[in-house]
Amino acid sequence: MSDSVSEGLYLLDYGAGNVRSVFNAVEALGHKISLISHPSDFDKAKKIIFPGVGSFGHAIESMKKKNLIQPLLEYIKSNRPLFGICVGMQVLFEGSQESDSPGLAIFPGTVTKFNDSSKPVPHIGWTTPVLVQELPESLSSIKSHLTTDSFYYFVHSYAVPYIENHKNLYTVNTVTKYHDETFISSICSNNIFATQFHPEKSGKSGLNLLDFFIKHFQPINTFPSPKFFSNITSQPSSRVIACMDVRSNDQGDLVVTKGDQYDVRESSQNNQVRNLGKPVELAKRYYLEGADEVTFLNITSFRNIPLNDTPMLDILKEASKSVFVPMTVGGGIRAISNPQTGENWSPVQVADAYFLAGADKISIGSDAVYSAEKFIKNNLTKDGSSSIEQISFVYGSQAVVVSIDPRRVYVDNPSSTKHHAIQTSIKGPNNESYCWFQCTVNGGREGRDIDVVELATSIQILGAGEILLNSIDKDGSNSGFDLELISLVKSSVSIPVIASSGAGNPSHFYDAINIAKADAVLAAGIFHRNEVSISESKQYLASKNINVRPAI
Ligand code: 1PR
């Protein structure tokens, strides 16, 4: 790519969010991009990409603190192109139900919260934008990027609702349907192009769209008279996620390992840690095979200080250069103090390090259990002290996943336990017909007196945006997911639930989605051992009429 195309291309870094993803996506396209981090940088900019991750209020307040609001408004007034992404689109409106801070009011309207009584919220997943307006000639080539074959990645609880025939709709480019609500998924007005979805995390479709903006987008001063298309059929798809459990092996290298009911040592080979490959190489492979997300779990981080675990941060940095779908990282996300040096890190500082290294979501395991226990003890009162509350305040709940490691505890009679017990078709060792699901910490090593329903409902109130639901009983078994566990959790919360542990073939994915109503399915062993590929899994799901983003 010639430097003239890239010249003057800037990325607005207001210090709250993962700018690395956009940076890497632009560089992978062969362009150069510089950071705007000071008001004077706006003068040099010819095109700006304005990525937004996190909450509306935090984005506005961070920009205020850095004195970026006035220069941004002047930049927009000067008719130079701007590409707003997600919260970078939302702040262009007058305000949001998410915050009392006013927006930039470039566009009329308020960003509102999805209604979670009928569907999982946040909306997390891949779906297609639907063009609702005839576009001007200069934008006709954008149409090829906004067809119903182009899936983009959305992650948000708030959106600008689409109101048909509203007088301001001349700015609407595409809309997207999320169950019963239709919202604006992209706008195009004069010098502004903005999307609710994340092109930098939308694989090839997203990279093409960014490339279009960088190479071809010019301000459009005249729009043809509105001519709306009303065939809005897009619907969210089910996600297929590849998970890598990462730890040091006995030689000290970070490897992808895999447990059998959480035991990652191979008894037939001198008790060595199983080594199933290198994390970055596997992540790249899964991206190319069509994974909708990749997850890294640093499974022994409870033993050490994750911020000193720079190899894990290096893995993320390296993977984010070639993996353009969302990456989640878990392991050791909590408040940390180092007794040797006296240093202290807040949970947000620990999360910052992971986000800056390229993570899009962080996953909290043990610390979520302790937070839920405290929340229940305090009569369901939030006091702002938990890692979930603190990180979701800054990055938004959609960036906070809670990873649950439950195991079955069998009872003869539901009244013999204070915990939520279900009747089960998988009988216990003494032929018991009931069980409850006990939450554990430290990689399943310690059982706690809290069940999965108590944990799931508490962490939702504390601000988690998604649940990664493992099962110690099913982990590594290839015998299918624990459908009873997934159904129980799904019926207890309104946030999305990722089914994990036990996948042995694609029909297990179908059952988790179709029977247990999981929002996404995750597997490790079958993908690492090449028993089933991600594309085969997706083809199978599509053949069963499950809406999935086709593998690329
Ligand atoms: O407690 O915040 O430090 O987080 C630690 C994280 O590491 C937690 O998310 C916990 O689930 C994970 N973890 C800890 N120990 C293990 C272990 O295996 N010994 N891995 C572990 C959990 C479960 C899944 C696995 C699925 C799918 N692994 O990640 O990938 O079960 O496997 P399958 O498809 O092969 O059946 P914290």
Side-chain angles (χ1 to χ4, degrees):
M1 179 49 43
S2 77
D3 279 358
S4 59
V5 172
S6 304
E7 200 195 312
L9 180 63
Y10 275 80
L11 189 141
L12 180 51
D13 174 19
Y14 56 90
N18 176 8
V19 294
R20 180 176 284 273
S21 299
V22 178
F23 207 87
N24 287 338
V26 171
E27 294 217 318
L29 287 164
H31 306 300
K32 290 200 179 80
I33 186 161
S34 314
L35 290 184
I36 287 197
S37 41
H38 187 269
S40 62
D41 294 333
F42 280 92
D43 294 341
K44 295 172 260 172
K46 290 187 182 155
K47 274 189 183 171
I48 291 182
I49 300 179
F50 178 21
V53 178
S55 66
F56 186 100
H58 196 260
I60 292 282
E61 293 313 314
S62 308
M63 286 200 293
K64 258 192 210 157
K65 258 191 223 143
K66 293 194 156 198
N67 293 321
L68 296 174
I69 292 198
Q70 202 46 39
L72 173 61
L73 288 172
E74 279 161 23
Y75 173 86
I76 293 172
K77 232 197 245 163
S78 75
N79 212 29
R80 284 171 286 167
L82 179 83
F83 190 162
I85 298 174
C86 193
V87 174
M89 165 173 152
Q90 294 183 359
V91 297
L92 301 175
F93 285 82
E94 289 166 306
S96 167
Q97 286 179 348
E98 195 178 8
S99 161
D100 292 333
S101 307
L104 304 183
I106 304 292
F107 300 120
T110 303
V111 184
T112 60
K113 187 162 191 203
F114 283 127
N115 176 355
D116 66 2
S117 61
S118 55
K119 57 187 176 294
V121 174
H123 166 212
I124 303 179
W126 295 75
T127 186
T128 51
V130 178
L131 209 53
V132 286
Q133 190 177 12
E134 192 69 77
L135 295 174
E137 199 45 44
S138 61
L139 273 188
S140 55
S141 65
I142 213 173
K143 272 193 199 169
S144 61
H145 304 305
L146 297 172
T147 65
T148 42
D149 299 335
S150 307
F151 281 72
Y152 291 94
Y153 182 75
F154 289 85
V155 52
H156 57 134
S157 302
Y158 295 80
V160 184
Y162 170 68
I163 305 158
E164 240 173 292
N165 298 325
H166 188 285
K167 65 176 170 27
N168 296 314
L169 279 187
Y170 67 91
T171 57
V172 174
N173 198 359
T174 63
V175 300
T176 292
K177 201 164 179 187
Y178 183 50
H179 293 269
D180 53 340
E181 292 186 68
T182 304
F183 63 90
I184 297 176
S185 49
S186 70
I187 51 180
C188 181
S189 186
N190 301 327
N191 54 331
I192 295 177
F193 184 67
T195 61
Q196 178 57 64
F197 53 82
H198 286 269
E200 77 283 11
K201 287 284 148 189
S202 297
K204 216 165 171 238
S205 321
L207 293 178
N208 287 342
L209 197 61
L210 279 170
D211 201 42
F212 169 84
F213 174 78
I214 295 166
K215 283 196 201 145
H216 305 297
F217 183 82
Q218 290 304 331
I220 310 133
N221 296 320
T222 46
F223 254 81
S225 323
K227 181 174 160 198
F228 298 108
F229 309 114
S230 57
N231 183 16
I232 302 163
T233 52
S234 62
Q235 273 302 349
S237 57
S238 301
R239 287 167 285 153
V240 177
I241 301 172
C243 181
M244 284 155 283
D245 290 355
V246 179
R247 63 160 287 169
S248 302
N249 66 6
D250 301 298
Q251 289 70 47
D253 302 319
L254 269 191
V255 296
V256 174
T257 188
K258 185 63 218 88
D260 178 4
Q261 300 195 321
Y262 285 34
D263 181 359
V264 299
R265 291 187 178 272
E266 195 80 86
S267 49
S268 58
Q269 287 177 12
N270 284 341
N271 237 12
Q272 296 266 328
V273 170
R274 275 187 206 103
N275 179 349
L276 294 173
K278 293 186 177 162
V280 177
E281 279 175 19
L282 276 183
K284 278 190 206 167
R285 189 186 112 199
Y286 296 142
Y287 165 64
L288 293 173
E289 276 186 17
D292 294 313
E293 292 180 24
V294 294
T295 296
F296 296 100
L297 297 175
N298 186 356
I299 67 170
T300 47
S301 61
F302 63 90
R303 292 196 192 130
N304 29 46
I305 292 173
L307 285 192
N308 291 348
D309 214 347
T310 47
M312 194 67 200
L313 295 173
D314 290 343
I315 284 174
L316 278 171
K317 283 183 196 153
E318 205 43 44
S320 67
K321 287 185 191 155
S322 46
V323 174
F324 300 108
V325 294
M327 296 199 297
T328 302
V329 64
I333 294 167
R334 57 178 194 269
I336 291 170
S337 25
N338 185 341
Q340 266 105 50
T341 62
E343 282 173 289
N344 295 308
W345 293 278
S346 71
V348 174
Q349 285 172 312
V350 177
D352 281 343
Y354 281 129
F355 285 122
L356 280 174
D360 301 282
K361 300 191 257 184
I362 52 89
S363 161
I364 307 175
S366 306
D367 201 50
V369 177
Y370 303 131
S371 304
E373 287 173 347
K374 186 173 170 204
F375 174 69
I376 293 167
K377 198 167 156 221
N378 292 344
N379 298 318
L380 311 188
T381 311
K382 296 206 265 184
D383 63 9
S385 65
S386 69
S387 49
I388 302 173
E389 288 161 282
Q390 292 178 16
I391 300 170
S392 63
F393 177 74
V394 176
Y395 287 97
S397 63
Q398 75 286 341
V400 180
V401 183
V402 165
S403 164
I404 309 183
D405 301 311
R407 72 155 53 89
R408 285 174 169 244
V409 178
Y410 284 95
V411 286
D412 284 321
N413 195 315
S415 57
S416 65
T417 172
K418 63 176 182 165
H419 292 293
H420 293 87
I422 57 158
Q423 192 163 17
T424 174
S425 60
I426 310 165
K427 292 272 178 7
N430 300 312
N431 215 26
E432 297 96 333
S433 306
Y434 294 87
C435 76
W436 61 280
F437 295 92
Q438 180 187 34
C439 296
T440 63
V441 293
N442 296 346
R445 283 168 184 79
E446 187 192 337
R448 306 288 296 186
D449 190 21
I450 179 169
D451 67 56
V452 76
V453 175
E454 292 173 297
L455 180 69
T457 49
S458 302
I459 58 98
Q460 170 168 321
I461 298 170
L462 288 172
E466 197 174 27
I467 290 173
L468 164 49
L469 185 56
N470 303 298
S471 153
I472 298 180
D473 309 283
K474 286 286 193 170
D475 176 56
S477 69
N478 282 24
S479 63
F481 295 94
D482 190 332
L483 300 179
E484 294 174 341
L485 167 66
I486 302 162
S487 301
L488 177 66
V489 174
K490 266 302 283 180
S491 64
S492 311
V493 294
S494 61
I495 55 179
V497 175
I498 303 167
S500 165
S501 306
N505 64 59
S507 76
H508 293 148
F509 294 138
Y510 177 69
D511 291 344
I513 296 166
N514 188 46
I515 300 173
K517 307 293 174 214
D519 300 285
V521 287
L522 173 149
I526 54 167
F527 296 150
H528 303 336
R529 293 186 296 264
N530 284 307
E531 288 162 12
V532 176
S533 72
I534 292 173
S535 40
E536 277 171 275
S537 310
K538 287 186 146 184
Q539 276 161 19
Y540 178 84
L541 289 172
S543 74
K544 295 288 217 178
N545 291 327
I546 301 287
N547 191 22
V548 285
R549 176 182 71 116
I552 34 175

